[in-house]
Amino acid sequence: MLDVTLVPVLNDNYAYILQSGSAVAVLDPGEAAPVIHKLEELGLTPSIIFNTHHHYDHIDGNKKIREKYNAEIIAPKKEQSRIENISRGVEEGDTINFGDEAITVLETPGHTSGHVCFWFKGNKVLFSGDTLFAMGCGRLFEGTAEQMFQNFKRFNDMPDETAIYCGHEYTQDNGRFCLSVDPDNPALIKRMKEVETIRNNKKPTIPSLM
Ligand code: ZN
Ligand code: FE
């Protein structure tokens, strides 16, 4: 069984603590302190840090967490020169064993050129970094719209009930944009009401569903 704990960091980023059996990992720690605080609260020691891409708001906590727990860093091979101390560079189609689970690595260029998503296919869970958000996609900093579209075709093949854990709380902004182009969509209007309530209660809208 995969356990996911969401940790809000920086302005609107989410880092995650993952557990399966005795395996513990941290994903995209944009900041160390809140993640270490949560790990201590849960009494957990991570042996792995996963990074989806090289942006500071996803890796700035690497150093402190790596040094404190002697954790290895698993990150995109194509961004090896841009993330320090990677112990395992991963690329398209790689499988990573994590506790009782198997992770499939998907390369999803667009936001950055080497961006990867970590797909727990058997658990129907996707860590999408800054490629796929609730009701939106990441900004195209290092890739093309065509590349992003190809990523989305792959996401579209995943089961509808796949839980998406993304890198930021952008749901409400994305939804507002969706409403600006599709103002009469009843499903969108309904979802945005739910999102508004969740955000008014200062709760995360993550995970969302494929
Ligand atoms: Zn980013
Ligand atoms: Fe980001």
Side-chain angles (χ1 to χ4, degrees):
M1 206 187 95
L2 177 69
D3 258 329
V4 182
T5 305
L6 177 151
V7 187
V9 298
L10 303 171
N11 261 341
D12 52 24
N13 277 81
Y14 290 129
Y16 297 100
I17 297 169
L18 282 49
Q19 278 175 268
S20 171
S22 59
V24 179
V26 165
L27 187 136
D28 279 359
E31 198 182 2
V35 175
I36 291 172
H37 183 84
K38 185 51 96 175
L39 285 165
E40 287 179 347
E41 198 181 294
L42 299 170
L44 296 175
T45 302
S47 58
I48 300 170
I49 299 166
F50 292 109
N51 294 136
T52 58
H53 64 295
H54 69 85
H55 286 156
Y56 79 96
D57 59 316
H58 299 254
I59 69 167
D60 263 13
N62 279 12
K63 188 174 189 293
K64 276 194 185 145
I65 294 169
R66 185 182 82 94
E67 285 169 3
K68 186 174 171 68
Y69 299 103
N70 195 25
E72 61 163 339
I73 297 174
I74 299 180
K77 198 174 203 167
K78 294 209 168 91
E79 301 192 352
Q80 238 158 5
S81 61
R82 305 201 271 185
I83 300 172
E84 280 179 14
N85 291 307
I86 294 183
S87 22
R88 179 167 172 198
V90 289
E91 58 192 342
E92 176 62 36
D94 281 357
T95 302
I96 305 163
N97 294 317
F98 177 72
D100 304 325
E101 328 302 330
I103 309 170
T104 303
V105 176
L106 305 177
E107 268 180 26
T108 56
H111 180 69
T112 66
S113 55
H115 193 297
V116 299
C117 294
F118 296 99
W119 186 24
F120 290 72
K121 194 175 174 180
N123 310 78
K124 298 198 173 103
V125 166
L126 178 74
F127 290 92
S128 60
D130 286 359
T131 296
L132 173 65
F133 294 111
M135 294 192 272
C137 73
R139 284 176 69 180
L140 300 172
F141 286 116
E142 299 174 9
T144 64
E146 175 59 32
Q147 283 176 313
M148 192 55 98
F149 183 63
Q150 294 304 324
N151 298 335
F152 271 56
K153 277 178 147 172
R154 302 180 71 187
F155 298 143
N156 204 32
D157 288 337
M158 294 179 184
D160 290 348
E161 60 275 24
T162 302
I164 306 160
Y165 292 90
C166 57
H168 292 263
E169 180 60 61
Y170 285 166
T171 311
Q172 205 163 20
D173 281 345
N174 288 340
R176 283 186 189 123
F177 173 76
C178 294
L179 279 173
S180 77
V181 290
D182 192 11
D184 303 319
N185 182 329
L188 183 55
I189 292 166
K190 179 168 171 279
R191 178 62 184 149
M192 280 302 276
K193 285 208 178 104
E194 292 165 4
V195 165
E196 199 181 325
T197 306
I198 295 168
R199 294 307 292 156
N200 286 345
N201 293 323
K202 300 198 165 28
K203 291 276 190 324
T205 61
I206 305 309
S208 59
L209 293 176
M210 195 61 78

